[in-house]
Amino acid sequence: MTGGIMPTCDDIHLLARYNATMNRQLYDAAATLPHEAVTAERGAFFGSLLGTLNHLVAGDSIWLSRFAGHVTMFRSLETLRGAAIPSDLRQSYGDSLALLRVQRERIDGIIMALAAEVTAADLDHVLAYRNTRGASFCKPFGSLLLHFFNHQTHHRGQASTLLTQAGADIGVTDLLVLIGD
């Protein structure tokens, strides 16, 4: 968002719920496939469906670790403070869908808890962080949360395409489905 417009706490709640819902649908659809189809090289940016799902867990872990440095010191992020941060966006969290799903569900629980804690003042705070190459940045936390959720949606779209190519249907993925619930 530009021009000083920040997302609202309601926006963050909606995006966290959408994220968890879509991840459940994604993993449910992937679970209908044999292991070979989940791990097959499909020419995607992260290779396979499993590679794409691992990237999402790695990216989310990196961003949540950065968010743990917010001045509010969110309780939901306590377990991430001082934890090892992935240094590679291709880090593997498991070579099977079942192992990876455990990590995904843990992270989605943290995201939901974080969304429940965030206040309007927190969204306006400028967060200082370093990227994986060590470069320093300072950006509004609300805008970083929007990027965080947008990144997930982007790669879930890629995963949805990989599922379709493998013959699995993720179902409706539009945010619109959750608006008004």
Side-chain angles (χ1 to χ4, degrees):
M1 305 219 122
T2 60
I5 299 171
M6 282 289 134
T8 67
C9 292
D10 287 343
D11 295 334
I12 300 306
H13 295 152
L14 175 63
L15 291 171
R17 193 164 52 101
Y18 172 69
N19 176 66
T21 300
M22 289 304 108
N23 282 334
R24 259 190 316 280
Q25 280 183 225
L26 187 71
Y27 277 79
D28 288 348
T32 67
L33 298 173
H35 178 75
E36 296 75 28
V38 173
T39 59
E41 171 58 49
R42 297 191 181 276
F45 191 80
F46 293 98
S48 65
L49 175 59
L50 192 67
T52 302
L53 297 177
N54 264 297
H55 168 70
L56 274 166
V57 170
D60 287 358
S61 298
I62 290 167
W63 276 109
L64 289 170
S65 295
R66 292 172 183 160
F67 297 162
H70 191 285
V71 68
T72 299
M73 302 298 284
F74 300 108
R75 281 180 291 123
S76 56
L77 303 178
E78 182 62 37
T79 60
L80 301 174
R81 288 187 194 90
I85 300 170
S87 59
D88 185 349
L89 292 174
R90 294 179 182 271
Q91 179 168 326
S92 176
Y93 284 84
D95 59 359
S96 76
L97 191 62
L99 286 173
L100 194 55
R101 187 171 200 156
V102 170
Q103 291 299 321
R104 177 76 267 162
E105 289 174 353
R106 180 183 71 81
I107 289 173
D108 286 347
I110 291 170
I111 294 167
M112 290 294 292
L114 174 61
E117 282 186 78
V118 168
T119 68
D122 295 330
L123 295 173
D124 285 335
H125 177 75
V126 173
L127 182 71
Y129 67 95
R130 291 185 182 278
N131 69 12
T132 56
R133 291 184 235 60
S136 296
F137 297 90
C138 294
K139 298 190 184 246
F141 183 59
S143 296
L144 292 174
L145 283 170
L146 288 177
H147 166 74
F148 175 70
F149 288 117
N150 186 62
H151 178 260
Q152 294 167 3
T153 301
H154 167 70
H155 288 296
R156 270 196 309 269
Q158 292 174 332
S160 178
T161 297
L162 297 175
L163 282 165
T164 300
Q165 290 171 350
D169 181 13
I170 187 175
V172 177
T173 60
D174 290 336
L175 175 63
L176 188 58
V177 174
L178 294 181
I179 293 174
D181 283 354

